[in-house]
Amino acid sequence: MAKTSVKFACTECGQSTARWLGKCPGCGSFGTLVEETPPASAAGSGSGAKKPLRLDEVEVEAATRIPSGLAELDRVLGGGIVPASLVLVGGEPGVGKSTLLLMALASISRDRRALLVTGEESAAQVKLRAERLGGGADVEILAETSLEAICATLETERPEVCVIDSVQTLWSSEVGSAPGSVGQVREAAARLLRVAKESGVAMLLVGHVTKDGAVAGPRVLEHLVDCVLQFEGERYHAHRVLRASKNRFGSTNELGVFEMTGAGLVGVPNPSELFGRTVDGEAGSAVACALEGTRPLLLEVQALVSPTDLAMPRRVATGVDPKRLAMIVAVLARHARVPLGQADVFVNVAGGVRIDEPGADLAVALAIASAARGVPVQPATAAFGELGLTGRLRPAAQARRRLEECAKLGVRTVLVPTESPKAKGVRVVEADTLRRALGAALAEAAREAA
Ligand code: TYD
Ligand code: MG
């Protein structure tokens, strides 16, 4: 075996190779392999035989969670920050990661020691921002990027909560590559993880995100940390959505909604009210009752269908999976007599929210059919149900909770797949196929089907 003192690692997926390649063998990206010098590892410790425990012998400390002061953040985390945990908060630049975590620290610092390690902004900048946000006098701050210095500080100071903004600025002299490289980021996360577990510091790491939404470079980070939170939203829109894509202490896909105001981020406790409204009589819009984690959420889905001469008509989805959209368009054409072969189809979900859940299929199909026919969906109507390839509607999970949310928000009629339960306060219209559902929801379509 050749000695490999130099390795190459992919900045996209973290795959490492012994020599430089133009294309990463892990993820297939081009030109992403960069040189990485592995740190001199001190192997050999703890290699003796150990005695395993039975689960009932394991002592569990009553994990009291630390409330962050932001109800939406606490919900996404599963009920607050877990002591000695490592949370990665990803998001595009400018989305509000620093603002969110500074607000959380400001609240936490009233009862506990809270430290902000900033590698991006100066201490003075942070102070100005905190003053603008109205608080945070007790937050401790350290403007530092040296990993060794930060770990040493954490071990002596032992704050209860520490925010590192951002993990890409950290730099260890033991790793030969530049800050932000895979080697540096991986080393930083691994060492901070050790400090978090040994010193009991709950650590929140800010991580930048690339254009396609992955936490930049270090996919490797995602399995090291306990939680991965994604902070999403359009820079020029006021609303921000926080979701967990991984959570060792709670449910994933729990959703938190914030509004960016002049005074920082304000939680939106009832997003359905904000995103689930349509204008009566407007064609091309439908309300989906989607489920995000345990939380039902009403979302307006808008569609535009416009004639095109393109051989490959456009299918543009914002907030909906493009593959799902292609499937819905095909089912509409094949099973519901909504021909879309000569039309561009655009679909957009209100508020910059992304729906990953198949229960939203029916509302997406309704919005497209409504746009294609120029017929509005009946007023005060919401819909949920998964669409099968045969045009049949499948029951969606947690139908009762969804119906309750609809009733709470003044929806009068809910279009559901057959065999869904009933609920008080809303009229439930059952349909077994997409065609029947369209017939019930679009006035003109009803006449056609008759
Ligand atoms: P920031 O938290 O710095 O984003 P990130 O750390 O994710 O890069 O702030 C994002 C934007 O939020 C910034 O462009 C200005 C805006 N903003 C407000 O609108 N109101 C506020 O009170 C603050 C602090 C920021
Ligand atoms: Mg920032």
Side-chain angles (χ1 to χ4, degrees), residues 63-75 77-83 101 103-112 114 160-161 202 204:
T64 43
R65 300 210 181 208
I66 304 168
S68 69
L70 301 166
E72 300 289 305
L73 173 60
D74 285 347
R75 175 184 24 247
L77 284 169
I81 302 168
V82 175
L101 294 175
M103 290 178 75
L105 283 186
S107 161
I108 293 165
S109 65
R110 280 186 222 126
D111 308 319
R112 303 174 155 85
E160 280 192 64
V161 180
L204 295 134

Side-chain angles (χ1 to χ4, degrees), residues 92-99 120-121 129 165-166 206 208:
E92 284 178 28
V95 74
K97 302 178 294 298
S98 305
T99 308
E120 297 198 338
E121 291 163 73
R129 183 194 300 233
D165 192 1
S166 68
V206 173
H208 291 293

Side-chain angles (χ1 to χ4, degrees), residues 9 13 49 81 83 126 150 222 294 406 434:
C13 69
I81 302 168
V126 174
I150 293 168
E222 298 194 356
T294 56
C406 291
L434 176 60

Side-chain angles (χ1 to χ4, degrees), residues 104-227:
L105 283 186
S107 161
I108 293 165
S109 65
R110 280 186 222 126
D111 308 319
R112 303 174 155 85
R113 286 193 69 188
L115 174 68
L116 173 63
V117 177
T118 169
E120 297 198 338
E121 291 163 73
S122 67
Q125 279 172 317
V126 174
K127 179 174 174 163
L128 287 177
R129 183 194 300 233
E131 279 173 356
R132 214 148 42 77
L133 295 172
D138 300 323
V139 176
E140 294 167 63
I141 185 159
L142 178 70
E144 182 60 71
T145 56
S146 157
L147 183 59
E148 283 77 20
I150 293 168
C151 289
T153 311
L154 287 172
E155 272 159 8
T156 47
E157 299 290 330
R158 296 190 182 230
E160 280 192 64
V161 180
C162 172
V163 168
I164 310 263
D165 192 1
S166 68
V167 69
Q168 270 99 354
T169 57
L170 298 190
W171 176 83
S172 161
S173 55
E174 288 171 29
V175 182
S177 47
S181 67
V182 176
Q184 288 283 4
V185 170
R186 188 162 37 191
E187 177 70 6
R191 273 219 245 155
L192 291 172
L193 179 71
R194 217 173 310 146
V195 175
K197 302 293 166 197
E198 281 167 11
S199 311
V201 183
M203 206 90 77
L204 295 134
L205 310 181
V206 173
H208 291 293
V209 149
T210 53
K211 273 187 263 82
D212 49 7
V215 176
R219 266 255 203 109
V220 275
L221 274 192
E222 298 194 356
H223 68 251
L224 276 180
V225 300
D226 297 309
C227 298

